[in-house]
């Protein structure tokens, strides 16, 4: 008698008995089969499948950090940007309601979407000079460095 391990769609392991000598299933095999079946997709899926976090590009230069986030279809008033204890949080919450009235019916659709991204800023950021801009679907945040943290250009030291 050999035992094979099958990996079903939901990622769990089940055992399959390849011994063909018994044709009737036993009570224990029925119970095992019930618990090892593929779970309904609602249990094996991520509940946030319809939502995704926007992609972020972070770039450092000698003078500043730049955060860019692609979030098309929003208005600048949809964003809330907060700084609390060196943690920069970018959030949005949008509710939509569309209603179409035709001769014989009324169709109403509701929509809700939100996200929040948080970043721990280095202590070198001058938090009093942070600026944000939203243009053509791109949220840009300029995080200037403190004067003492800015990279100085290399210089030649003469030997005396």
């Amino acid at each position: 008698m050999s035992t094979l391990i099958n990996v079903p769609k939901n990622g769990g392991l089940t055992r399959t008995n390849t011994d063909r000598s018994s044709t009737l299933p036993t009570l224990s095999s029925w119970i095992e089969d019930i618990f090892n079946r593929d779970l309904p997709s609602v249990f094996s899926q991520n509940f946030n499948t319809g939502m995704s976090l926007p992609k972020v590009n972070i770039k450092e230069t000698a003078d500043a950090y730049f955060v860019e986030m692609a979030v098309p279809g929003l208005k600048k008033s949809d964003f809330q940007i907060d700084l609390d204890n060196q943690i920069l949080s970018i959030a949005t919450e949008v509710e939509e309601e569309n209603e179409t009235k035709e001769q014989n019916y009324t169709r109403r659709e509701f929509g809700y979407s939100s996200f929040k991204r948080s970043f721990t800023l280095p202590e070198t950021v001058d938090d009093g000079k942070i600026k944000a801009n939203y243009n053509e679907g791109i949220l840009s945040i300029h995080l200037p460095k403190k004067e003492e943290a800015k990279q100085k250009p290399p210089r030649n030291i003469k030997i005396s």
Side-chain angles (χ1 to χ4, degrees), residues 14-90:
T14 60
R15 295 189 181 277
T16 303
N17 187 351
T18 57
D19 184 8
R20 306 266 184 228
S21 61
S22 65
T23 55
L24 295 175
T26 63
L27 178 61
S28 63
S29 68
W30 272 351
I31 293 172
E32 192 174 318
D33 188 43
I34 289 171
F35 287 108
N36 288 329
R37 278 193 188 133
D38 289 346
L39 292 174
S41 62
V42 71
F43 295 113
S44 59
Q45 291 179 355
N46 181 350
F47 285 104
N48 292 329
T49 307
M51 299 175 124
S52 63
L53 291 175
K55 303 281 185 190
V56 176
N57 293 330
I58 300 174
K59 180 173 80 170
E60 180 181 10
T61 65
D63 299 332
Y65 298 94
F66 296 91
V67 176
E68 292 181 328
M69 183 181 292
V71 279
L74 298 176
K75 302 175 293 221
K76 68 180 183 178
S77 61
D78 292 334
F79 293 97
Q80 181 172 340
I81 303 172
D82 296 314
L83 181 65
D84 184 23
N85 275 348
Q86 295 300 109
I87 296 179
L88 178 73
S89 297
I90 305 164

Side-chain angles (χ1 to χ4, degrees), residues 86-159:
Q86 295 300 109
I87 296 179
L88 178 73
S89 297
I90 305 164
T92 185
E93 199 170 300
V94 180
E95 293 183 49
E96 278 186 56
E97 181 178 336
N98 296 324
E99 186 171 334
T100 305
K101 291 186 178 186
E102 296 291 330
Q103 291 177 355
N104 298 330
Y105 67 92
T106 299
R107 183 180 74 191
R108 297 180 81 187
E109 294 180 359
F110 298 92
Y112 178 84
S113 64
S114 69
F115 73 84
K116 182 174 185 177
R117 301 277 320 247
S118 296
F119 305 93
T120 301
L121 299 181
E123 302 229 356
T124 57
V125 171
D126 188 350
D127 59 5
K129 296 182 180 177
I130 296 174
K131 294 180 183 174
N133 182 30
Y134 182 68
N135 189 19
E136 295 186 15
I138 304 292
L139 176 66
S140 302
I141 302 174
H142 179 245
L143 305 160
K145 292 181 180 178
K146 294 177 182 173
E147 199 58 43
E148 62 270 13
K150 291 182 181 178
Q151 187 177 8
K152 311 247 186 301
R155 64 184 182 103
N156 190 355
I157 301 172
K158 294 190 179 190
I159 302 171

